[in-house]
Amino acid sequence: MQTDFDLFQAILDFVQNLDPEVYDAAFSYAAAMVLLVGLIALSRWQKIGITEKLIIGTARGTIQIILMALILLEIFALENLVLIFGLLIFMALFAAHTSRSNLDDIPGVFRAGAPAILVGGLTVMVISVLLGVVKPVGEYIIPMGGMVIGNAMGINSLVMERMWSNAQKQRSLMETALALGATPLQATNMTIRESIRSGLLPNLNRYASLGIVSIPGLMSGMIIGGTPVLAAALYQVIIFVMIFLACIVSGLIASRIFLQEMFNERAQITVPPPEA
Amino acid sequence: MSSGPILEMKGVSMSYGQRTLFKDFTLDLHRNEIIGISGESGSGKSTLLRIAVDLVTPTEGEIVFQGKDVKDWNPQELRKCIILVPQEASMFPGTVRDNLLWGLKIHDQDASDEELEAIMEEVNLSGEYLDRVAENLSGGEKQRIAIARALLLEPCGLLLDEPTSALDEKSTLAVEKTVKGLLESRDIGVLVVTHNREQAERFTDRVIEVTTGEEVYYNAD
């Protein structure tokens, strides 16, 4: 009983000692749930089919980001590169797992996505650190790595989803290519290029309107955190270049590995036709 | 030049689960010959053509192309020598010229404008079509472009899957004329799927029923 009382008192103390800004944010979070309800209603009405993912994603995302926030100061203070890149590897694997969860009706998404995000994301981060583009401390590597890995994950999901759905919806065109003696890569190259272009388009738009229409998150965060405005602006351009490189490298790698899920060794399509 | 068949299908059967499409199908295709494949809708005629170019593996049976089992062929080399033109005659994005060159480019080959115009003439289309957007052509024109695209690779066998099924009479006759002309201009064998008996008698040498494997028509001429 005494123990229960102590725990209750500890929680009470923690809540009472919270920064008033946390109360404000919690109120905003609660109010934002109204938007979420609207979003779910819209999704259900238009049969977009993301209701479950929205609800689970909100709950899971909130817990994940709070846990991350609680240890963020410790992570940002990291200077041990092995630990920092170990954390990036975990983030890349988690990104691949997330891709698989969102494309659960397509086989081999993790098998193709994990090596693609690892190689695409981490290679860019390692080269950036070696070139001195990114300071070798957690404060820089972790958030920038997170953006690079997050965008690589988005491209990978798009590439694999498009390749799979095109093999179903445009089967005749793909078969025509194979029937002319095309390799699986030649038969899908157009889809791969189009999906990488589509995946990069939102970021290309932000890149083109940088500073005029969009004030991206990294720059805003750095300015709020006390970084000189000019330095923050330059870092924003740097992160875009890193994101584009990582996206293209990981998209190309994922597409090559994913071909094994779509074709057998006789270059026959193994993707089942779409269900009627 | 060998007088043996270019394509041999020996005891070929195809089933999907419990459903048997056809059983013990046998066929020999020679150069300078057009064979028609007939059968009910859903009887596996299109599947048979896909099996011939190793796009589908049969449940049982042997496919021999130019004396060698298709399993021993590199799939890309095999499909360059014997080409399937699917029923839809799908066009790649771009112009007719882009489409004609598509097949050549994947094999690191190219063709001059004169060669493209010559192949267009062979399929009874003028060279003016080269710069048109392929997707905007009529069904009959697309079919002939698809045939021209295949012919540029100089195959010794051509497999046509219902090439006239969606065409009006005029376009049908144009495609038939093109296919018949190929036998005179090129030393190739043609396998054509058709469910139209009249058409089969008009322009094939013999017709084989896919389900029974029986020769249901033979043109003595």
Side-chain angles (χ1 to χ4, degrees):
Chain A
M1 196 64 194
Q2 184 67 33
T3 310
D4 286 345
F5 177 75
D6 284 345
L7 182 64
F8 177 72
Q9 188 60 48
I11 292 171
L12 205 64
D13 288 347
F14 176 75
V15 172
Q16 280 173 345
N17 290 327
L18 279 175
D19 193 304
E21 278 193 40
V22 176
Y23 287 110
D24 290 346
F27 178 76
S28 300
Y29 179 89
M33 290 303 111
V34 176
L35 297 178
L36 182 67
V37 170
L39 177 59
I40 290 168
L42 188 63
S43 163
R44 288 177 73 100
W45 177 42
Q46 287 299 310
K47 297 186 173 56
I48 298 172
I50 55 167
T51 306
E52 197 181 332
K53 286 187 170 69
L54 281 174
I55 295 169
I56 294 172
T58 304
R60 194 173 67 180
T62 304
I63 294 166
Q64 282 167 196
I65 200 74
I66 286 175
L67 289 176
M68 178 57 107
L70 292 173
I71 57 170
L72 207 57
L73 286 177
E74 302 299 324
I75 289 173
F76 278 7
L78 283 177
E79 288 185 5
N80 183 333
L81 286 177
V82 174
L83 270 181
I84 293 172
F85 276 93
L87 193 59
L88 288 187
I89 290 172
F90 170 76
M91 288 160 72
L93 291 175
F94 192 81
H97 167 74
T98 306
S99 275
R100 179 179 61 184
S101 307
N102 286 332
L103 299 172
D104 49 7
D105 52 346
I106 301 177
V109 171
F110 186 82
R111 264 195 303 276
I117 299 173
L118 277 170
V119 175
L122 294 193
T123 305
V124 168
M125 291 311 297
V126 168
I127 293 172
S128 301
V129 170
L130 289 177
L131 288 176
V133 173
V134 175
K135 288 182 187 168
V137 287
E139 187 182 346
Y140 285 85
I141 299 176
I142 300 294
M144 292 174 94
M147 283 180 226
V148 164
I149 288 168
N151 280 281
M153 172 181 74
I155 283 276
N156 280 349
S157 297
L158 191 71
V159 166
M160 288 186 270
E161 197 279 330
R162 286 269 177 96
M163 287 173 75
W164 188 264
S165 63
N166 273 8
Q168 293 186 313
K169 293 171 193 161
Q170 297 183 11
R171 200 178 185 84
S172 171
L173 192 63
M174 193 172 280
E175 210 165 58
T176 298
L178 293 174
L180 288 165
T183 60
L185 180 58
Q186 287 168 328
T188 50
N189 234 341
M190 218 178 308
T191 303
I192 294 168
R193 280 196 288 256
E194 271 176 18
S195 48
I196 290 179
R197 249 197 311 267
S198 302
L200 288 179
L201 200 58
N203 271 329
L204 283 171
N205 285 341
R206 283 187 209 113
Y207 198 44
S209 61
L210 204 53
I212 298 170
V213 178
S214 61
I215 312 290
L218 181 87
M219 188 173 83
S220 313
M222 288 178 90
I223 292 170
I224 292 166
T227 306
V229 176
L230 277 180
L234 293 178
Y235 265 110
Q236 188 58 60
V237 177
I238 291 168
I239 190 67
F240 266 121
V241 174
M242 290 166 67
I243 285 172
F244 292 141
L245 181 60
C247 282
I248 291 176
V249 171
S250 65
L252 291 175
I253 294 172
S255 61
R256 266 80 183 154
I257 301 173
F258 192 62
L259 285 176
Q260 292 164 16
E261 305 293 334
M262 297 174 56
F263 299 91
N264 62 18
E265 70 284 358
R266 298 300 302 162
Q268 298 170 340
I269 303 173
T270 53
V271 178
E275 285 174 20
Chain B
M1 194 176 295
S2 164
S3 58
I6 51 171
L7 176 70
E8 298 165 76
M9 303 184 89
K10 301 175 184 173
V12 177
S13 302
M14 189 68 200
S15 307
Y16 289 108
Q18 297 292 313
R19 183 169 170 244
T20 299
L21 286 182
F22 49 83
K23 210 171 172 183
D24 205 21
F25 184 87
T26 295
L27 169 148
D28 284 351
L29 175 69
H30 293 77
R31 289 177 186 269
N32 291 311
E33 178 182 40
I34 303 181
I35 298 181
I37 303 289
S38 69
E40 298 286 310
S41 182
S43 59
K45 303 184 293 293
S46 300
T47 304
L48 189 75
L49 295 194
R50 281 160 179 73
I51 287 172
V53 293
D54 201 26
L55 279 170
V56 172
T57 302
T59 320
E60 275 178 57
E62 191 184 359
I63 320 295
V64 178
F65 179 69
Q66 291 191 325
K68 195 162 90 175
D69 195 307
V70 293
K71 292 194 202 84
D72 298 325
W73 277 83
N74 171 301
Q76 282 78 43
E77 281 302 312
L78 170 75
R79 294 169 195 159
K80 186 173 178 258
C81 296
I82 179 163
I83 300 181
L84 165 69
V85 178
Q87 186 176 357
E88 292 85 354
S90 300
M91 294 286 114
F92 299 109
T95 62
V96 169
R97 186 194 310 276
D98 296 332
N99 268 272
L100 293 180
L101 292 175
W102 202 94
L104 288 170
K105 281 183 180 164
I106 58 172
H107 296 288
D108 296 322
Q109 292 173 249
D110 206 350
S112 65
D113 269 8
E114 289 72 32
E115 287 168 308
L116 295 184
E117 279 166 18
I119 207 86
M120 292 292 282
E121 199 176 321
E122 202 172 340
V123 295
N124 301 307
L125 289 171
S126 78
E128 289 170 11
Y129 277 81
L130 286 174
D131 293 316
R132 292 199 193 172
V133 176
E135 200 48 54
N136 295 343
L137 301 180
S138 72
E141 289 163 343
K142 280 185 190 170
Q143 270 296 343
R144 283 179 281 164
I145 298 297
I147 291 170
R149 185 171 58 190
L151 290 176
L152 274 168
L153 294 172
E154 299 186 336
C156 61
L158 202 55
L159 313 183
L160 306 176
D161 190 0
E162 303 227 28
T164 61
S165 62
L167 307 186
D168 57 26
E169 193 182 346
K170 189 180 164 203
S171 300
T172 298
L173 292 174
V175 171
E176 284 176 14
K177 184 181 165 199
T178 298
V179 176
K180 282 223 84 139
L182 295 179
L183 291 199
E184 291 163 20
S185 60
R186 294 169 183 263
D187 191 25
I188 65 172
V190 178
L191 206 55
V192 56
V193 162
T194 176
H195 60 264
N196 182 333
R197 179 64 183 264
E198 263 180 46
Q199 179 186 48
E201 293 182 7
R202 218 167 32 227
F203 87 122
T204 66
D205 297 313
R206 55 196 170 107
V207 177
I208 300 172
E209 158 69 37
V210 67
T211 318
T212 61
E214 284 172 16
E215 197 166 277
V216 291
Y217 168 75
Y218 176 73
N219 182 354
D221 299 338

